[in-house]
Amino acid sequence: MRVSAKADYALRALIEIASVTDGTAVSAEQLGKAQDIPHGFLQAILADLRRADIVVSQRGQSGGWRFARAPETVSVADVIRAVDGPLVSVYGLRPESVAYGESAKVLQHVWIAARRSLRSVFEGVSIQDLADGKLPDAVADLTADEDAWQPH
């Protein structure tokens, strides 16, 4: 799996917003500076997140961006889907929609299994978890394996 710059920037911006404990709105300029995200790119990402009902914008002197719902209810998967679409796709199709000939039919099961594995991590980690710097035990356990850190 490749994590796009768009997904990475979106998650980093949301961590910044979740780190504001008093719930005040955070300007796009503040988000961009804090996470070194290009302004134009950030604006497009925030628009995607707004369309997905993850953030809302607030106009005025104390304007900016804040969560549309509690950050503990927004998963990493929600964010990736909002900015990039489905977690797994095979030449633009969802894995359950791909059709193969008989000899390669099992390949569809590989794509379905990969999606399930990604969901188990991405749906189990909330933006609040990230802002708190603490992963759920099941996800943290996956990173404890030395092989997880090795390139293959």
Side-chain angles (χ1 to χ4, degrees):
M1 169 182 188
R2 293 175 197 247
V3 177
S4 71
K6 196 172 186 183
D8 182 65
Y9 287 162
L11 289 163
R12 289 166 41 199
L14 291 172
I15 290 168
E16 286 296 321
I17 296 170
S19 297
V20 177
T21 56
D22 63 2
T24 58
V26 182
S27 73
E29 291 78 21
Q30 288 174 290
L31 295 173
K33 284 181 184 169
Q35 290 295 326
D36 197 27
I37 303 170
H39 184 73
F41 202 20
L42 179 58
Q43 290 290 11
I45 290 166
L46 291 167
D48 287 342
L49 295 172
R50 180 179 50 219
R51 279 189 291 279
D53 293 322
I54 294 173
V55 296
V56 293
S57 61
Q58 180 177 317
R59 295 183 183 263
Q61 177 127 5
S62 60
W65 297 88
R66 57 184 173 77
F67 277 91
R69 52 191 166 138
E72 58 270 11
T73 68
V74 178
S75 71
V76 169
D78 294 331
V79 176
I80 293 172
R81 288 180 185 121
V83 299
D84 284 340
L87 296 179
V88 173
S89 66
V90 181
Y91 48 82
L93 298 173
R94 292 180 183 271
E96 67 275 9
S97 300
V98 176
Y100 292 108
E102 193 59 38
S103 64
K105 196 171 191 173
V106 70
L107 192 54
Q108 182 180 37
H109 292 257
V110 172
W111 308 142
I112 297 289
R115 180 176 63 186
R116 177 65 190 104
S117 292
L118 288 172
R119 282 178 179 169
S120 71
V121 173
F122 292 161
E123 291 178 353
V125 178
S126 74
I127 300 304
Q128 191 62 59
D129 293 331
L130 298 174
D132 292 344
K134 180 147 175 34
L135 296 174
D137 290 341
V139 175
D141 289 348
L142 293 171
T143 68
D145 179 0
E146 175 87 20
D147 188 57
W149 294 90
Q150 301 304 315
H152 289 274

